[in-house]
Amino acid sequence: MRKSFGKLGFVFFLSSTFILGQMRGPAQLLPIHHAPNKEFHMIHLDLNFHFNIEKKEVFGVATEKIVPYQNDYKTIHLNAMDMKIDKVTLNGKSLSYQYNDKILSINLDKNYGLNDTLTYSITYSAIPKKGIFFIMPDKAYPKRIPEIWSQSESEDAQYWYPCHDYPDDFSTSSLTATVPEDWVVVSNGLLKKTATDKKDHTKTFYWDENKPHVVYLNSIVAGKYKILKTKWDNVPIYYYVEPQFTNEAMANFSHTPDILKFFSEVTGHHYEWDKLSLSTVQDFTEGGMENVSAITLTNTTFHDKNAEPQINSTNLVSHETAHQWFGDLLTCRNWANAWLNEGFATFFEALYGQHAFGNDHYVYEMSRNQEQVINADKRERRPIVYNRYNSPDDVFGVYIYPRGADVLNMLRNVLGDQLFFKAIKHYVKEYQFHNVDTHDFEKAVQEATGQNLYWFFDEWVYKGGHPIFKVNYNYNSDAHKLLMTVEQTQKVDSLTPVYKMPVEICIETPTEKITRKVWVDSLKNTFTFDVKDRPSMVNFDEGHILLKEMDFKKSENELVYQLQHDKDVDGRIWAADQLEKEKSNSSLDALENTLNNDSYWAVRAECAKVLGSQNEAGVEQSLLAALNDKDARVQVNAINSLAKFKDNKAADLLKNKFEKDKNYFVRAAALTTYSKIDSLNALPLIDQALKIESQQEVIRTSALEALTKLDSLKAYNEAVKFAEYGQPEPIRIRSVMTLVQHDANKDKTLKLLEKFSDDPYWIVRLISVNELGRIGDKTSLPILEKREREEVNFRIVESVKRAIAQIKKRESASL
């Protein structure tokens, strides 16, 4: 499952940023969860559906073939949420049952034992609250295309079919679904046949997945789709897309065949499943979902060339495709070990980027992962393997995605590529079609490499935090010795250790380049190197492998040299950041030269950002020149940095950029900065921008944000209009935030937030309930308490509880 931490586009960036800001602090201790007992092993699951689409109702028959795990087996217990059970049969004979809207208890006709195989069928109906979703046109969104799609991870399969809803069992599956005759259905495995009923104007699709997988990977997507086809090797690849996205699909998903080829090679295991389909759906709750052989993606991933390179679909597709190995072929045994799914997929996403786009891309992606983890750690510290949560969905965050990827990147460095990929291949071979936990992976690494890395897994997986290094060095020109001191300054406790890790030191002089691998393993380590000449550059952790914070004071000359000569992308970016504190001509010259000439876009973009903090003459000309950079991301940073140069030349160029540039994000940035430089003439442009549709509404949202600085009352009124159900979802999110930030009418804002707390769109509900808690008006309590009773989205349930507690605390304090 691909969540976003700012990579999938504007709407997901806003939602993930907002959610991360609501995370718990370290004081809150959550319940411990262990895997439930298993009563049986399921051999096969057969699902047969038809639907009342208007009522969003599911009619199903679930036939399950099982083998008990115990003798004297009398009662089958299944998860089944809010269903109407019509009948249960075993070999055609009706069975009695008890049902409490959560657990279905089936009374068997006799005692069964370990050697028995049972096949029972449950006929039922449901109007699911989650697990399966009906997207329908309505008065507000009349152009929506009707469709049905499922999303079962983590434990939502039980909302659309009865099952043992936990990821600790592998079974084969089949799915039959009857839908309107102009619809198509995609599910796991291969399509065996279809049958059309001309009288009922329906069509039935028969899908079969003959390779075992866990329960949450069963899926269905149904709607009026265009089917596009390609292939890799002997694997057919299908893209199921809404007709309006036909042109974008082949371009946006063009890397898919190469992704299958690359992952098959690096894992040593040919893509296992009989086909791969990518289905795009409206209003998807995540970025993507790795349903076995049948990936589901948000249709917001589609974009035209005017959204590139800020938006791409390759990261999303490679992430979900990596799951076909890590998450599907091998699946975490329990949610505490979910990093074995998500951390691996995030790492292999970056690994494919290294293959397709070069090493600089990989290094930069890993560095951004580290940044996210460090920021999250300031809010909440916990290990990767962690079984304290309210809902299993709680674990799907920074600690298993980017931190998991960081751990694999560090393990790759500890072992070296040859041994690392040998271990990966052994792990996949040993545990295919099995549940795994971290001990299994650790064991596979030891078996493949001979190395006992208990210490590595202990400090990086079973503990939390990261090292904070203070690094200093002195060079003795008489002795030709360099003395480096490395201190670990993080608070050491039962959760955060003194770290033991290999680190590469790089020392560059005018005549030589020295690289040495050393081990840091104490609160203070000292290392001595023979160096003939005074160093031009000294790097601790060459390649920026370690998840760390670092205080390493360097002279301006060293930083300038590093910015211009370090072969490592992150080393150059770090040097640019450090030079922000310097104000000399040499540092400015270096930043401007690098802005114009560096080979990698992110370094140029960072220089543009840093130059924005400088007031020296000449900087503006460099930033204006960067408006023609070949990469739109550099242009955006240069535009943002021009905000302090309030002259006609900059204003004219920015206005021209807004009106004529093709890139949506460049146009949005140009409007924002123009409104800061020339506020008197910006309002007509803002009015124009509020009418412009763009990728994920980036232009309109930027216009609304700019308007709040110039005319807060007008911005509030525009936000009221754009926040309404029926507007595009990204602008709705920005508008609800604007209502709160610029509260021109408190009573009206309160009523709107109360209405939006029951909105069909979950992010709008989330923002609204959080803001009701922040405002703290006791009149909102009945609405929040009703939301707490009815809400099924775990994120919102947690937010509602916090909001209620905030209001009651404020009330108590006022007494």
Side-chain angles (χ1 to χ4, degrees):
M1 180 164 60
R2 177 64 144 81
K3 293 189 180 289
S4 173
F5 304 97
K7 293 183 180 178
L8 288 184
F10 190 72
V11 59
F12 289 103
F13 173 76
L14 282 175
S15 63
S16 63
T17 302
F18 189 85
I19 293 164
L20 289 173
Q22 304 299 320
M23 290 175 69
R24 297 173 302 276
Q28 291 180 271
L29 205 56
L30 300 177
I32 294 175
H33 288 264
H34 297 288
N37 293 329
K38 285 169 62 176
E39 296 180 2
F40 55 79
H41 162 56
M42 183 181 289
I43 299 171
H44 185 78
L45 169 67
D46 178 73
L47 298 170
N48 192 317
F49 295 111
H50 66 279
F51 308 96
N52 184 325
I53 296 172
E54 295 285 329
K55 294 183 178 180
K56 301 183 178 181
E57 189 170 12
V58 175
F59 298 91
V61 179
T63 301
E64 302 174 356
K65 185 177 182 180
I66 68 169
V67 175
Y69 273 130
Q70 61 195 61
N71 285 314
D72 299 324
Y73 188 54
K74 302 176 181 179
T75 307
I76 301 170
H77 299 95
L78 299 173
N79 303 107
M81 290 294 295
D82 300 322
M83 295 179 179
K84 178 180 180 295
I85 308 298
D86 294 324
K87 64 178 178 178
V88 180
T89 62
L90 177 69
N91 300 324
K93 180 181 177 181
S94 294
L95 298 177
S96 64
Y97 58 86
Q98 292 79 43
Y99 181 53
N100 63 4
D101 292 333
K102 293 182 180 180
I103 301 296
L104 174 62
S105 302
I106 302 171
N107 305 312
L108 294 171
D109 56 346
K110 64 177 183 177
N111 291 354
Y112 289 87
L114 299 170
N115 297 320
D116 291 316
T117 300
L118 293 73
T119 301
Y120 57 87
S121 295
I122 305 159
T123 304
Y124 66 97
S125 61
I127 300 178
K129 294 179 179 177
K130 54 182 179 175
I132 193 168
F133 298 82
F134 293 75
I135 306 301
M136 301 293 293
D138 56 24
K139 290 182 180 179
Y141 297 100
K143 294 183 180 181
R144 273 185 176 163
I145 298 174
E147 62 187 18
I148 300 168
W149 48 262
S150 64
Q151 169 55 29
S152 296
E153 191 179 26
S154 52
E155 296 177 12
D156 291 348
Q158 61 191 290
Y159 285 85
W160 60 293
Y161 60 91
C163 58
H164 169 70
D165 200 359
Y166 200 78
D168 58 356
D169 198 9
F170 278 66
S171 73
T172 56
S173 66
S174 50
L175 184 145
T176 302
T178 300
V179 295
E181 62 183 343
D182 57 347
W183 285 33
V184 296
V185 174
V186 60
S187 187
N188 315 98
L190 292 177
L191 180 62
K192 293 300 185 181
K193 64 177 181 177
T194 62
T196 302
D197 187 325
K198 294 184 178 180
K199 181 180 178 181
D200 290 342
H201 302 290
T202 61
K203 191 172 184 179
T204 302
F205 293 75
Y206 300 84
W207 287 88
D208 182 67
E209 178 52 75
N210 62 9
K211 297 177 182 179
H213 53 278
V214 299
V215 70
Y216 70 75
L217 295 172
N218 293 307
S219 72
I220 183 172
V221 172
K224 298 179 181 180
Y225 294 110
K226 184 83 171 176
I227 306 173
L228 308 175
K229 301 177 183 179
T230 185
K231 69 175 183 176
W232 168 73
D233 197 21
N234 62 340
V235 181
I237 302 171
Y238 304 94
Y239 306 141
Y240 289 77
V241 303
E242 295 100 327
Q244 70 268 31
F245 295 121
T246 302
N247 293 334
E248 289 89 344
M250 293 304 289
N252 293 171
F253 297 159
S254 62
H255 282 267
T256 306
D258 188 54
I259 291 169
L260 286 179
K261 179 177 183 290
F262 177 72
F263 288 158
S264 293
E265 290 171 352
V266 296
T267 63
H269 190 103
H270 189 280
Y271 177 77
E272 182 65 40
W273 317 102
D274 292 324
K275 70 100 169 51
L276 176 67
S277 62
L278 307 181
S279 302
T280 59
V281 301
Q282 303 161 95
D283 295 349
F284 199 45
T285 53
E286 310 296 344
M289 180 61 207
E290 64 270 17
N291 305 306
V292 61
S293 83
I295 291 169
T296 307
L297 304 172
T298 170
N299 68 359
T300 62
T301 192
F302 285 130
H303 59 278
D304 59 33
K305 290 187 178 296
N306 297 331
E308 295 175 348
Q310 289 93 336
I311 301 294
N312 78 78
S313 298
T314 302
N315 288 344
L316 176 60
V317 173
S318 62
H319 182 101
E320 298 307 333
T321 306
H323 272 309
Q324 301 299 307
W325 285 263
F326 305 104
D328 293 8
L329 187 62
L330 300 80
T331 308
C332 61
R333 179 171 284 114
N334 50 52
W335 300 120
N337 284 275
W339 84 282
L340 297 172
N341 296 5
E342 299 301 345
F344 274 67
T346 306
F347 172 78
F348 275 82
E349 171 191 333
L351 194 67
Y352 178 75
Q354 184 179 35
H355 160 77
F357 309 120
N359 190 62
D360 285 350
H361 175 93
Y362 174 81
V363 171
Y364 183 70
E365 286 295 298
M366 283 300 166
S367 179
R368 301 293 76 77
N369 285 336
Q370 293 170 6
E371 188 177 291
Q372 292 167 25
V373 175
I374 289 167
N375 289 336
D377 184 75
K378 293 181 169 98
R379 292 184 289 267
E380 177 190 31
R381 176 165 295 182
R382 68 169 182 79
I384 289 179
V385 175
Y386 194 62
N387 65 351
R388 286 187 177 274
Y389 51 81
N390 286 319
S391 162
D393 293 341
D394 279 345
V395 307
F396 287 84
V398 173
Y399 291 95
I400 67 169
Y401 286 81
R403 186 179 174 98
D406 289 338
V407 166
L408 291 172
N409 185 46
M410 290 187 288
L411 181 62
R412 180 185 184 184
N413 183 63
V414 169
L415 292 171
D417 274 10
Q418 185 176 9
L419 288 182
F420 175 78
F421 288 109
K422 181 184 178 184
I424 292 294
K425 290 173 181 177
H426 179 67
Y427 174 57
V428 172
K429 181 180 179 181
E430 282 296 304
Y431 293 101
Q432 58 183 295
F433 300 115
H434 281 83
N435 287 116
V436 287
D437 60 26
T438 303
H439 294 295
D440 296 320
F441 179 52
E442 186 178 351
K443 180 183 177 184
V445 171
Q446 185 169 1
E447 289 174 346
T449 68
Q451 297 192 34
N452 185 348
L453 298 180
Y454 71 92
W455 56 270
F456 177 90
F457 287 91
D458 180 64
E459 65 187 18
W460 289 112
V461 179
Y462 297 114
K463 294 186 184 297
H466 53 268
I468 302 175
F469 293 112
K470 183 176 182 180
V471 181
N472 290 290
Y473 79 88
N474 286 297
Y475 178 69
N476 187 321
S477 56
D478 294 330
H480 302 290
K481 300 282 187 184
L482 186 146
L483 180 68
M484 175 178 285
T485 302
V486 180
E487 297 178 74
Q488 296 190 43
T489 62
Q490 71 273 10
K491 181 182 177 183
V492 176
D493 53 27
S494 60
L495 184 58
T496 307
V498 175
Y499 287 85
K500 169 188 176 182
M501 281 295 288
V503 182
E504 189 167 282
I505 309 299
C506 178
I507 303 168
E508 194 168 311
T509 77
T511 59
E512 63 180 337
K513 182 176 181 179
I514 301 165
T515 58
R516 296 284 187 273
K517 183 171 283 189
V518 301
W519 283 80
V520 293
D521 56 10
S522 304
L523 284 174
K524 185 174 183 179
N525 288 101
T526 303
F527 307 103
T528 303
F529 305 92
D530 294 320
V531 182
K532 294 177 183 177
D533 301 300
R534 182 171 295 280
S536 303
M537 179 173 67
V538 177
N539 282 345
F540 174 83
D541 187 25
E542 179 76 352
H544 288 249
I545 303 296
L546 295 186
L547 173 59
K548 68 182 185 302
E549 294 179 73
M550 181 177 69
D551 177 11
F552 190 177
K553 299 292 191 299
K554 294 187 178 183
S555 70
E556 181 182 359
N557 288 339
E558 288 177 290
L559 293 171
V560 167
Y561 184 91
Q562 183 169 356
L563 177 62
Q564 296 177 331
H565 296 93
D566 197 334
K567 297 195 181 309
D568 180 70
V569 163
D570 279 322
R572 302 200 299 276
I573 291 174
W574 181 83
D577 285 339
Q578 298 301 304
L579 282 171
E580 185 171 6
K581 306 174 187 120
E582 307 292 340
K583 304 295 181 183
S584 71
N585 289 334
S586 61
S587 65
L588 289 176
D589 288 345
L591 288 165
E592 291 173 349
N593 181 63
T594 305
L595 170 60
N596 292 328
N597 299 304
D598 198 273
S599 61
Y600 193 62
W601 72 268
V603 180
R604 301 196 305 276
E606 194 65 27
C607 289
K609 175 185 170 185
V610 171
L611 284 169
S613 66
Q614 312 296 318
N615 290 310
E616 299 299 320
V619 167
E620 182 182 12
Q621 292 306 311
S622 296
L623 293 172
L624 290 173
L627 298 187
N628 296 313
D629 193 279
K630 60 185 178 182
D631 194 296
R633 292 166 292 191
V634 179
Q635 294 182 41
V636 167
N637 274 19
I639 290 168
N640 294 338
S641 289
L642 282 168
K644 65 165 57 180
F645 299 99
K646 300 183 183 296
D647 60 56
N648 291 335
K649 183 178 181 180
D652 291 344
L653 285 172
L654 291 170
K655 183 181 179 184
N656 185 64
K657 271 286 183 185
F658 168 72
E659 292 175 338
K660 296 183 178 180
D661 202 277
K662 292 183 178 180
N663 185 276
Y664 302 122
F665 296 87
V666 169
R667 296 184 70 189
L671 177 67
T672 299
T673 300
Y674 180 80
S675 69
K676 295 176 182 177
I677 293 175
D678 190 356
S679 58
L680 291 177
N681 293 309
L683 286 174
L685 283 189
I686 291 173
D687 288 339
Q688 178 185 342
L690 287 170
K691 299 179 178 67
I692 297 174
E693 295 182 359
S694 61
Q695 183 73 30
Q696 299 178 9
E697 295 294 324
V698 64
I699 293 177
R700 266 202 283 234
T701 54
S702 297
L704 186 60
E705 180 65 19
L707 186 60
T708 61
K709 306 290 194 304
L710 304 181
D711 188 338
S712 60
L713 180 59
K714 183 177 180 180
Y716 183 87
N717 291 331
E718 290 287 345
V720 169
K721 178 180 73 175
F722 281 122
E724 285 299 325
Y725 182 72
Q727 295 289 341
E729 287 161 355
I731 190 65
R732 294 195 68 211
I733 295 169
R734 178 70 267 172
S735 297
V736 175
M737 292 177 173
T738 300
L739 291 176
V740 174
Q741 293 166 358
H742 301 273
D743 187 2
N745 185 330
K746 182 177 179 180
D747 290 340
K748 186 174 184 178
T749 300
L750 197 63
K751 285 183 171 57
L752 285 169
L753 290 174
E754 289 173 350
K755 180 178 76 170
F756 293 147
S757 70
D758 193 27
D759 194 85
Y761 190 39
W762 73 268
I763 297 178
V764 171
R765 295 202 304 278
L766 177 67
I767 296 170
S768 299
V769 299
N770 272 289
E771 292 307 322
L772 286 173
R774 188 187 63 81
I775 293 170
D777 194 303
K778 65 179 181 180
T779 61
S780 301
L781 277 175
I783 289 171
L784 288 169
E785 287 165 348
K786 181 175 182 289
R787 182 84 260 131
E788 183 180 18
R789 292 191 300 272
E790 297 177 356
E791 183 61 59
V792 294
N793 186 301
F794 87 98
R795 302 178 181 99
I796 302 173
V797 171
E798 292 296 302
S799 294
V800 169
K801 290 178 180 177
R802 280 195 298 270
I804 291 172
Q806 283 177 291
I807 294 172
K808 289 183 176 179
K809 183 178 180 180
R810 177 174 292 189
E811 283 299 299
S812 297
S814 65
L815 295 177

